[in-house]
Amino acid sequence: MNDKTQGDDHPRVDVSAPAHDESAHATSPHATLPHAKSPHDESTRHYYETGDVDTFYDAVWGGEDIHVGIYANPQEAIAKASHRTVERAADRVADLLGPDATVLDLGAGYGGSSRALAERFGCRVVALDLSEGHNRRHRAANAERGLDGLIEVVTGSLNDLPYEAERFDVVWSLEVLCHVEDREGALGEAVRVLKPAGALVFSDIMAAEETSVEAVRPAFSRLGVQTPATSAFYLDQLSGLGLKATFEDRTPDLATHYARLDEDVHRRAAELRKVISPAYVDDLLTNLPLWTDITRRGLLRWGLFHARRTAV
């Protein structure tokens, strides 16, 4: 959300927010919630709020949907494939969405998912993200497209959501949990605010079940993550929280995605150095091949999780 290949693919992570009381419930489309400044959160926030990161996402990723794409062919545009992921995830919960529904978009980034859901279904979206810088950009884009009446943008925490229980029809998140230290807590919070018979849909970059942590730590450490999750971990956690869950394994798309990023950055390096600092481009040129290698070797997994609460 963002993730960050070289530390740069998903501009979203968790940050502490207020306790669950009525005063903490954000009602303004410009809401900003107070948050504690842990070293992990602050270092992540600092990284993702740099001009180099924003320019990279705009120039290479399209600046709208900043997550792994689902590819029709290996040479497809990254932005088009990334938007297809949004469409695919939305299809899984389309039966729950409409003008009377409300979605919580966790780690909303620049707001691509929030706008796509509001435009397609006419639903209300609460978009929560760590970075107030990204949230300002998100709000501006919503206003330009006439969607600010449907989308409320909030700065807050995945691990302490400022909303009452059973509020949302759908909780949504694309490549955010890979950044979170307390994934169990974040999942628990997501389920707590989900209505009975509501749905949780999310994607994540994970280690393969048979992969040792040491084999992928150099790549994940760029995200501030010491131990990546696995698909079995998420399915077990969701089952324990009382949800019936499925995992659509799209790992081949992960390999295609990083190969496309690697190819684009190397091909356009001279051009990118004119708009991004040379040091940042050099970092991309060093780290993207690392991610390309470990995805081609099958050390990672990626796909969509779809989980439903049992109606009470």
Side-chain angles (χ1 to χ4, degrees):
M1 102 287 237
N2 301 8
D3 73 283
K4 292 8 130 224
T5 68
Q6 42 297 327
D8 341 285
D9 307 6
H10 320 325
R12 25 205 185 216
V13 183
D14 105 281
V15 63
S16 298
H20 313 300
D21 57 34
E22 290 303 316
S23 65
H25 296 166
T27 57
S28 165
H30 302 285
T32 300
L33 302 172
H35 39 268
K37 298 181 178 180
S38 73
H40 176 79
D41 294 336
E42 286 306 295
S43 63
T44 304
R45 187 202 313 277
H46 177 75
Y47 178 84
Y48 290 123
E49 290 186 341
T50 66
D52 280 340
V53 170
D54 287 339
T55 304
F56 167 67
Y57 288 145
D58 287 338
V60 178
W61 225 294
E64 180 81 354
D65 301 302
I66 314 300
H67 45 255
V68 175
I70 293 176
Y71 288 79
N73 64 76
Q75 295 305 315
E76 187 171 30
I78 294 168
K80 185 175 182 179
S82 296
H83 189 69
R84 186 176 293 113
T85 300
V86 175
E87 294 174 332
R88 181 79 171 209
D91 288 345
R92 306 301 294 273
V93 292
D95 61 308
L96 296 176
L97 297 179
D100 296 326
T102 304
V103 178
L104 176 60
D105 182 1
L106 295 176
Y110 298 144
S113 291
S114 297
R115 287 187 289 276
L117 293 169
E119 287 178 329
R120 176 176 172 181
F121 300 103
C123 58
R124 300 189 65 82
V125 181
V126 176
L128 183 144
D129 195 85
L130 167 69
S131 168
E132 179 55 27
H134 290 160
N135 289 342
R136 286 192 295 270
R137 172 173 169 155
H138 185 170
R139 293 180 189 115
N142 294 344
E144 287 177 5
R145 284 163 59 171
L147 295 170
D148 46 338
L150 287 176
I151 303 171
E152 174 188 344
V153 182
V154 177
T155 304
S157 168
L158 272 71
N159 284 103
D160 193 3
L161 299 176
Y163 302 107
E164 68 273 15
E166 300 183 355
R167 172 168 175 173
F168 297 97
D169 298 278
V170 171
V171 176
W172 169 290
S173 186
L174 298 182
E175 277 108 76
V176 179
L177 289 170
C178 56
H179 296 286
V180 176
E181 292 181 302
D182 180 10
R183 299 186 185 100
E184 295 93 335
L187 286 173
E189 278 290 87
V191 173
R192 179 184 67 79
V193 301
L194 197 61
K195 289 181 180 179
L200 170 62
V201 60
F202 67 96
S203 63
D204 202 23
I205 298 174
M206 304 161 287
E209 302 295 334
E210 65 276 11
T211 298
S212 70
V213 172
E214 290 72 22
V216 295
R217 181 164 284 156
F220 275 92
S221 64
R222 298 286 300 172
L223 311 182
V225 174
Q226 293 302 310
T227 306
T230 64
S231 59
F233 165 81
Y234 283 130
L235 291 172
D236 182 65
Q237 289 293 314
L238 293 168
S239 177
L241 290 166
L243 279 70
K244 183 177 181 180
T246 61
F247 173 56
E248 181 184 357
D249 192 335
R250 305 285 314 192
T251 298
D253 286 301
L254 181 67
T256 300
H257 185 76
Y258 280 107
R260 288 289 292 108
L261 287 173
D262 193 7
E263 173 192 359
D264 271 22
V265 170
H266 277 80
R267 176 174 53 85
R268 300 171 56 195
E271 168 197 343
L272 293 173
R273 282 194 173 94
K274 297 177 182 178
V275 293
I276 304 175
S277 71
Y280 188 85
V281 175
D282 288 342
D283 195 43
L284 293 172
L285 294 171
T286 298
N287 286 282
L288 278 171
L290 171 64
W291 280 81
T292 302
D293 176 62
I294 63 175
T295 56
R296 284 176 173 165
R297 289 164 54 201
L299 301 183
L300 301 181
R301 292 288 181 270
W302 178 77
L304 293 170
F305 292 87
H306 173 220
R308 298 263 176 149
R309 290 191 67 170
T310 301
V312 178

